[in-house]
Amino acid sequence: SLPSLAVGLASVAFALALVLHAAHAYSVRPLREWDGWVIWATKARALYAHDGVRNAVFANEAYEHPDYPLLLPTLEAMGFRALGEFDGTIVHLQLAGLALAFVGAAWTISRASASPAVSGLAILAIVSAPQVLIQLGWNYADIPVAMLCALGVAALAGWLRTGDAWLLPTGIVFLAAGTLTKSEGLMFALAAFAAALAVLVFTQRHRLRPLLVGVAAFAAA
């Protein structure tokens, strides 16, 4: 309905305004949090400077957590490559870009199975939560993995509810990305798959095959 659409669009616009305000603050923010610098930015700088993982940062326990997944520092290293140099402030603008992308992706995915008002208000509730944009500016992987897994779960739930074919691979991609961002992502993804399998086993067994194919693709990723 028109009122629902108006509420949804207004909520998304407010969420985008919050992200843009955070981006303005990020643009002059130094990278000073310990994990943000020592774990994630160090890996991103090593990937950028040495063209891969064949260097001491990924082979020496003196550097913290060389076993952590590498999607976040890889994305940051791509930004440094495009910029032509490592910049500990610009990395925050990349994170603001991630938040902007989250708003757009969440609106697109949730609109498949929820009203515009519900979609918009849910997005606004997430973005305006006190610690989301604050912690995102720390260059920790916690908020990125939460965003990616949330999108994956929303897409998977939308597929279960509506049967729209595009939502299943979308969910698989986002859950795989969450797992490749932080180790905890694997737990979230497995919980989502277990819930989806339980729903289909008891209600729609004829849809089990595409889900199992999706889980296999997730495992391959």
Side-chain angles (χ1 to χ4, degrees):
S1 66
L2 188 59
S4 177
L5 181 60
V7 170
L9 291 177
S11 299
V12 169
F14 193 11
L16 290 173
L18 289 174
V19 175
L20 291 174
H21 180 69
H24 178 70
Y26 289 175
S27 65
V28 294
R29 190 183 195 283
L31 182 58
R32 58 189 180 86
E33 282 73 24
W34 179 260
D35 283 8
W37 170 255
V38 173
I39 297 178
W40 304 107
T42 296
K43 289 178 170 59
R45 187 168 191 172
L47 289 169
Y48 161 67
H50 299 288
D51 295 321
V53 297
R54 294 181 180 275
N55 58 77
V57 173
F58 302 100
N60 191 331
E61 290 294 335
Y63 294 93
E64 297 215 11
H65 298 290
D67 57 318
Y68 275 13
L70 292 179
L71 181 61
L72 181 62
T74 299
L75 293 175
E76 293 177 351
M78 290 169 64
F80 300 143
R81 177 59 55 87
L83 184 66
E85 64 177 346
F86 172 84
D87 189 314
T89 299
I90 291 296
V91 68
H92 296 107
L93 293 180
Q94 293 177 268
L95 295 168
L98 179 67
L100 286 171
F102 169 78
V103 172
W107 174 258
T108 303
I109 290 171
S110 62
R111 286 282 289 107
S113 58
S115 70
V118 170
S119 297
L121 290 171
I123 292 168
L124 178 58
I126 293 169
V127 173
S128 63
Q131 288 298 311
V132 170
L133 293 177
I134 291 174
Q135 289 193 23
L136 188 66
W138 295 352
N139 194 35
Y140 289 12
D142 301 83
I143 299 300
V145 72
M147 288 179 169
L148 292 167
C149 288
L151 293 171
V153 170
L156 199 59
W159 175 74
L160 288 172
R161 182 173 181 180
T162 69
D164 288 349
W166 68 274
L167 286 169
L168 178 58
T170 299
I172 298 299
V173 168
F174 277 120
L175 289 172
T179 300
L180 294 173
T181 299
K182 206 164 189 282
S183 303
E184 291 90 330
L186 177 60
M187 178 187 68
F188 300 141
L190 293 179
F193 289 137
L197 285 169
V199 168
L200 294 183
V201 165
F202 287 106
T203 62
Q204 304 175 53
R205 293 190 179 183
H206 63 283
R207 297 175 65 194
L208 278 171
R209 183 175 180 180
L211 179 61
L212 293 175
V213 171
V215 172
F218 167 86

